[in-house]
């Protein structure tokens, strides 16, 4: 990570906001995720079965949406401002269907002392929004962020 | 309902990290680390490999999860889960599952609670 400016716990401000680029979730994304995870639930893999379901068609795995938003947010959060994930509280509020375009809105909701003196904990509130402005997933993530070395 | 269900083990490889990284753009700076969300994602597939018919899940409603220890390329994970609560709804019922992911040293690397909407048995 040479050359990339580091962002430390001290640099993160409560109220900082990040908006990710959008990404269209495709059938290929769902097929690859089913194969990788081994989660072949009919919700994601059986188009005919899903015609008669609540959703009317196959939907993306909730955890695929979660993983995609994590990658999207990494693209806009400056140099490791949010370090490793410590915890997640998450709600799946609506389906992500094939062809939907999602992006992430995140806001620094809180900062607190961590277990180790060299790092603090940053809480991000996140909303995953589709092309119609509907919130399809939302939650909070805690991150361990290094303090500026003395 | 109260007996914990343990899945077979799964070794996590560079291939898992590469496929997941190219699919989702989750790429840790340290290439020996497995992206944090992989064990959680793999545990839902591992749940299909136990000698018990799967729950008829209508929707995944939410979860709370803690990342306790890093997972590295070459580690073998397995998942242990049990149902800790259920309540009936008009359409289906809500099931709360407690799940832990362990590595080959029997250390809990991730754990949490998942909330699932599950179908009711069709009435004849």
């Amino acid at each position: 990570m040479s050359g990339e400016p580091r962002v430390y716990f001290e640099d993160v401000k409560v109220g900082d906001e990040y908006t990710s680029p959008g990404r269209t979730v495709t059938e290929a994304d769902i097929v690859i995720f089913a194969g990788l995870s081994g989660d072949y639930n009919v919700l994601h893999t059986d188009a005919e079965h899903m015609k008669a379901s609540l959703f009317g068609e196959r939907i993306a795995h909730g955890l695929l949406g979660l993983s995609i938003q994590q990658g999207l947010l990494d693209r806009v959060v400056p140099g490791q401002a949010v370090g490793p994930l410590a915890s997640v509280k998450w709600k799946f509020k609506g389906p992500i269907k094939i062809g939907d375009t999602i992006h992430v809105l995140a806001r620094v909701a809180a900062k607190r002392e961590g277990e180790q003196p060299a790092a603090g904990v940053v809480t991000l509130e996140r909303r995953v929004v589709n092309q119609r402005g509907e919130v399809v997933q939302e939650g909070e993530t805690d991150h361990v962020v290094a303090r500026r070395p003395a | 309902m109260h007996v914990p269900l343990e899945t077979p083990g799964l070794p996590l490889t560079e291939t898992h990290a590469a496929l997941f990284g190219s699919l989702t753009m989750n790429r840790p700076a340290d290439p020996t680390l497995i992206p944090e969300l992989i064990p959680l994602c793999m545990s839902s597939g591992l749940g299909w490999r136990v000698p018990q018919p799967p729950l008829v899940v209508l929707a995944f409603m939410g979860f709370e999860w803690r990342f306790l220890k890093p997972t590295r390329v070459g580690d073998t994970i397995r998942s242990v889960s049990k149902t800790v609560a259920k309540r009936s709804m008009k359409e289906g019922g809500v099931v709360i599952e407690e799940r832990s992911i362990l590595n080959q040293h029997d250390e809990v690397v991730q754990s949490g609670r998942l909330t699932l909407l599950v179908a009711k048995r069709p009435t004849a």
Side-chain angles (χ1 to χ4, degrees), chain A residues 17-92:
Chain A
E17 291 184 322
Y18 310 107
T19 302
S20 83
R23 178 166 163 185
T24 306
V25 178
T26 68
E27 180 179 25
D29 292 327
I30 297 172
V31 171
I32 293 170
F33 190 82
L36 177 62
S37 68
D39 183 352
Y40 290 98
N41 193 307
V42 291
L43 288 165
H44 322 299
T45 56
D46 186 337
E48 293 304 317
H49 175 88
M50 290 305 288
K51 280 180 188 169
S53 76
L54 181 66
F55 302 113
E57 60 179 286
R58 283 168 294 171
I59 60 170
H61 304 71
L63 293 177
L64 172 59
L66 176 82
S67 302
I68 287 177
Q69 68 78 34
Q70 177 72 13
L72 284 173
L73 197 63
D74 279 351
R75 285 160 67 181
V76 289
V77 170
Q80 303 175 41
V82 288
L85 279 168
S87 67
V88 176
K89 286 182 191 167
W90 206 251
K91 283 184 179 162
F92 301 103

Side-chain angles (χ1 to χ4, degrees), chain A residues 77-138:
Chain A
V77 170
Q80 303 175 41
V82 288
L85 279 168
S87 67
V88 176
K89 286 182 191 167
W90 206 251
K91 283 184 179 162
F92 301 103
K93 306 195 59 142
I96 299 171
K97 295 180 175 178
I98 294 166
D100 281 356
T101 300
I102 57 171
H103 69 280
V104 196
L105 305 169
R107 178 180 171 276
V108 177
K111 292 173 66 175
R112 61 182 163 84
E113 303 297 313
E115 285 167 23
Q116 309 143 10
V121 177
V122 170
T123 302
L124 282 186
E125 284 173 358
R126 307 185 185 201
R127 279 176 296 151
V128 181
V129 179
N130 70 13
Q131 70 276 18
R132 292 180 293 278
E134 298 157 348
V135 176
V136 291
Q137 302 190 358
E138 69 179 9

Side-chain angles (χ1 to χ4, degrees), chain B residues 46-67:
Chain B
L46 279 172
W48 290 74
R49 292 179 51 200
V50 293
Q52 176 170 314
L55 277 178
V56 184
V57 174
L58 299 175
F60 186 11
M61 298 173 70
F63 70 103
E64 292 189 19
W65 201 249
R66 294 204 302 149
F67 301 86

